[in-house]
Amino acid sequence: MSSPAWELQKAIFAALIADAPLLALLGGARVYDDVPRGAALPYVSFGPSTTRDWSTGTETGSEHVVTLRVWSKAGGEKQVHLVLEAIRTALHDASLVLAGHRLISLRHELSDAARGSDGEIYAGVARFRAVTEPTA
């Protein structure tokens, strides 16, 4: 059996790199699980994720909290906010296909933007809640 969390991450990645408005804002398919050294800004990276048992008395299920991070060096928070909105638009209530699992729901929970501690990088966070169940 495959990991529902990994299958969800792969489906989210595929949805993001297929989203033309997001790619236009990023200047290409700059969505990473493992950010390459010297990656050009802006980009999106996967942040922490949590999976909890969401089973009922008769059905097996998982609840996921997935965090995506946005990194920008453009002056101010505008670019971060635009990328966060593009991510929300691409994923909120999306019908993603997961190998071995069915996505029951994918909902945007929050977005946040702030200047980094170095004063030059601006960072954003988009958090999503998903529920999955195995297909077999």
Side-chain angles (χ1 to χ4, degrees):
M1 160 124 344
S2 62
S3 161
W6 178 239
E7 296 303 329
L8 178 61
Q9 182 173 326
K10 290 191 312 184
I12 288 172
F13 177 82
L16 293 178
I17 64 167
D19 188 76
L22 176 62
L23 296 186
L25 288 168
L26 296 175
R30 296 181 187 158
V31 179
Y32 306 111
D33 178 20
D34 185 24
V35 180
R37 183 177 305 278
L41 294 168
Y43 64 81
V44 175
S45 63
F46 281 86
S49 65
T50 303
T51 302
R52 295 180 182 96
D53 181 41
W54 199 253
S55 301
T56 66
T58 58
E59 303 293 327
T60 301
S62 299
E63 176 191 39
H64 310 267
V65 176
V66 177
T67 304
L68 296 166
R69 294 183 170 159
V70 176
W71 305 94
S72 169
K73 206 166 186 176
E77 295 181 2
K78 179 181 179 181
Q79 186 175 53
V80 170
H81 284 293
L82 293 174
V83 173
L84 287 169
E85 180 58 20
I87 292 169
R88 188 200 65 76
T89 299
L91 296 178
H92 183 76
D93 280 338
S95 298
L96 305 180
V97 177
L98 284 64
H101 302 273
R102 180 175 30 257
L103 180 62
I104 305 304
S105 67
L106 179 59
R107 307 279 300 171
H108 175 258
E109 286 193 328
L110 69 84
S111 290
D112 186 34
R115 180 188 299 234
S117 60
D118 67 358
E120 293 182 23
I121 302 291
Y122 289 83
V125 172
R127 188 171 69 203
F128 292 83
R129 178 185 175 272
V131 176
T132 61
E133 62 186 25
T135 56

